[in-house]
């Protein structure tokens, strides 16, 4: 009985160890998937910026816009910009003078698309270039191209694309993971929307999501932290953050790929519960069966022991009745034969006297 209980306990310990290893492997695989997905996300944003710059360059080469700029008539430039921009993918566009003065804009353009001293407007940098910028409560990709007349820049075409829920949805389809887009410590878009940062994020992850002081293009960018575990609304998540940075403005926000750790571990938790239930039932069954088996041996032996003690005290009148048809029963039959023989011998002895 005790051997069975010890075996069951040993099996339970082994199951706990195997379950822990299994859960660790699930989490490690999930972390590896998130890390790879984060790399895909980084590439997706870079590709979107390249597409925006190419779109800006294409607009700048449009002969209608170049001809309108050459007239120096701002109303003509405004009308032509709206015609060129009509079926475009960017959120807004603006035509600026080489010094940064606004000549024409489309609806939705910020009041000051670029400051006059912005490095993107510096000589030699506004030929098909782009950057990530912080807008009014949003993050924007900005592309700048020169509208040339011969070799002379007549004006600059600035296109902007606001990063929003549509971009996040497309990115989620690409990486196969939920995504949060955060800027200045607040959620801009994503499945887990928060007015402020979710509670439970590790401190180094929170620091990554906060805007950093302005820094120069040559300053090294700190490597993003690895995958982290955080808790939100009582559920544990794995988060893989990717910093969104501008060479001019520094860190503006973060793209956080996340996955529910609890939901991924739910099958393992269910399996563990079933296994522990089966183990508990097996242990209980072992104890019940073992107790029954133990009593089936001890009760006949105790009964036979009482009969032998009665024989030893000289009581030969009560017969010994076998309780089982096995070795113990045969032993009881032998004692009964011995009792009968002793009783017969004693009767003969008393008759001879």
């Amino acid at each position: 009985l005790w051997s069975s209980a010890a075996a069951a306990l040993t099996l339970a310990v082994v199951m706990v160890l195997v379950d822990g290893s299994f859960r660790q492997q699930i989490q490690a695989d999930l972390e590896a998937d998130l890390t790879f997905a984060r790399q895909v996300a980084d590439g997706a944003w870079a590709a979107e910026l390249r597409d925006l710059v190419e779109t800006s360059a294409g607009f700048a080469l449009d002969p209608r816009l170049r001809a309108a700029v050459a007239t120096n008539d701002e109303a003509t430039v405004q009308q032509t910009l709206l015609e060129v921009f009509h079926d475009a993918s960017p959120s807004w566009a603006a035509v600026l003078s080489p010094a940064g003065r606004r000549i024409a804009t489309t609806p939705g353009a910020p009041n000051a698309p670029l400051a006059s001293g912005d490095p993107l407007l510096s000589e030699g940098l506004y030929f098909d270039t782009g950057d990530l910028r912080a807008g009014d409560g949003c993050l924007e990709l900005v592309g700048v191209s020169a509208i040339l007349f011969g070799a002379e820049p007549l004006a600059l075409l600035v296109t902007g694309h606001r990063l929003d829920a549509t971009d996040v949805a497309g990115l989620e389809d690409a990486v196969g993971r939920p995504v949060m887009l955060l800027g200045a410590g607040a959620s801009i878009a994503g499945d887990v929307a928060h007015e402020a940062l979710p509670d439970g994020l590790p401190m180094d992850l929170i620091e990554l999501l906060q805007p950093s002081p302005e820094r120069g293009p040559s300053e090294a960018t700190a490597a993003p932290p690895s995958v982290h575990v955080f808790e939100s609304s009582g559920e544990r998540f794995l988060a893989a953050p990717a910093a969104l940075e501008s060479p001019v403005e520094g860190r503006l926000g973060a793209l956080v790929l996340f996955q529910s750790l609890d939901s991924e571990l739910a099958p393992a938790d269910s399996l563990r519960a079933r296994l522990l239930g089966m183990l508990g039932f097996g242990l209980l069954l072992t104890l019940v069966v073992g107790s029954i088996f133990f009593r089936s041996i001890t009760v006949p032996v105790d009964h036979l022991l009482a009969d032998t003690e009665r024989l030893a005290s000289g009581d030969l009148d009560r017969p010994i009745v076998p309780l089982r048809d096995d070795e113990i029963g045969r032993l009881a039959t032998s004692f009964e034969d011995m009792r009968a023989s002793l009783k017969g011998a004693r009767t003969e002895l008393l008759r001879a006297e």
Side-chain angles (χ1 to χ4, degrees), residues 43 51 83 87 95 103 129 154 172 194 197 225 242 266 305 316-317:
D51 291 343
E83 293 174 359
D87 295 324
V95 176
I103 298 174
T129 187
L154 295 180
E172 288 179 342
H194 295 273
L197 292 175
L305 180 60
L316 302 177
D317 294 327

Side-chain angles (χ1 to χ4, degrees), residues 158-174:
V158 181
T159 54
H161 175 70
R162 290 184 179 86
L163 302 179
D164 55 20
T166 302
D167 299 283
V168 170
L171 189 58
E172 288 179 342
D173 292 338

Side-chain angles (χ1 to χ4, degrees), residues 56-295:
S56 176
F59 288 171
L61 293 174
D62 190 293
R64 294 172 295 170
L65 190 57
R66 184 170 58 181
V69 170
T71 65
N72 288 324
D73 182 12
E74 294 191 4
T76 302
V77 176
Q78 178 70 52
Q79 181 62 35
T80 305
L81 177 63
L82 293 176
E83 293 174 359
V84 172
F85 185 77
H86 179 69
D87 295 324
S89 58
S91 303
W92 54 267
V95 176
L96 309 179
S97 71
R101 184 180 65 84
R102 186 171 60 175
I103 298 174
T105 61
T106 62
N111 292 331
L114 292 177
S116 59
D118 195 290
L120 282 176
L121 301 182
S122 301
E123 185 176 355
L125 292 181
Y126 49 74
F127 292 89
D128 306 338
T129 187
D131 194 11
L132 177 71
R133 293 300 166 97
D136 296 331
C138 66
L139 294 177
E140 292 180 320
L141 297 174
V142 178
V144 181
S145 296
I147 301 175
L148 300 176
F149 185 78
E152 286 293 319
L154 295 180
L156 305 177
L157 179 67
V158 181
T159 54
H161 175 70
R162 290 184 179 86
L163 302 179
D164 55 20
T166 302
D167 299 283
V168 170
L171 189 58
E172 288 179 342
D173 292 338
V175 301
R177 292 288 185 275
V179 173
M180 282 189 293
L181 177 61
L182 301 109
S187 175
I188 294 175
D191 286 346
V192 178
H194 295 273
E195 292 299 326
L197 292 175
D199 294 334
L201 285 174
M203 185 57 63
D204 52 352
L205 181 56
I206 291 177
E207 291 174 354
L208 177 64
L209 305 183
Q210 305 296 339
S212 67
E214 186 173 314
R215 54 187 173 187
S218 61
E219 186 172 348
T221 300
S226 58
V227 177
H228 291 280
V229 179
F230 73 93
E231 185 172 330
S232 181
S233 302
E235 185 175 3
R236 290 181 302 160
F237 292 88
L238 287 177
L244 297 179
E245 305 202 356
S246 162
V248 176
E249 298 185 41
R251 187 167 59 242
L252 300 176
L255 193 69
V256 183
L257 283 72
F258 65 96
Q259 185 72 37
S260 172
L261 179 60
D262 288 341
S263 65
E264 291 294 326
L265 293 178
D269 292 337
S270 177
L271 177 61
R272 178 176 60 178
R274 289 197 298 268
L275 290 176
L276 290 177
M278 292 171 60
L279 180 62
F281 176 76
L283 180 58
L284 179 61
L285 183 63
T286 299
L287 292 175
V288 172
V289 173
S291 178
I292 294 174
F293 180 72
F294 181 74
R295 286 184 57 81

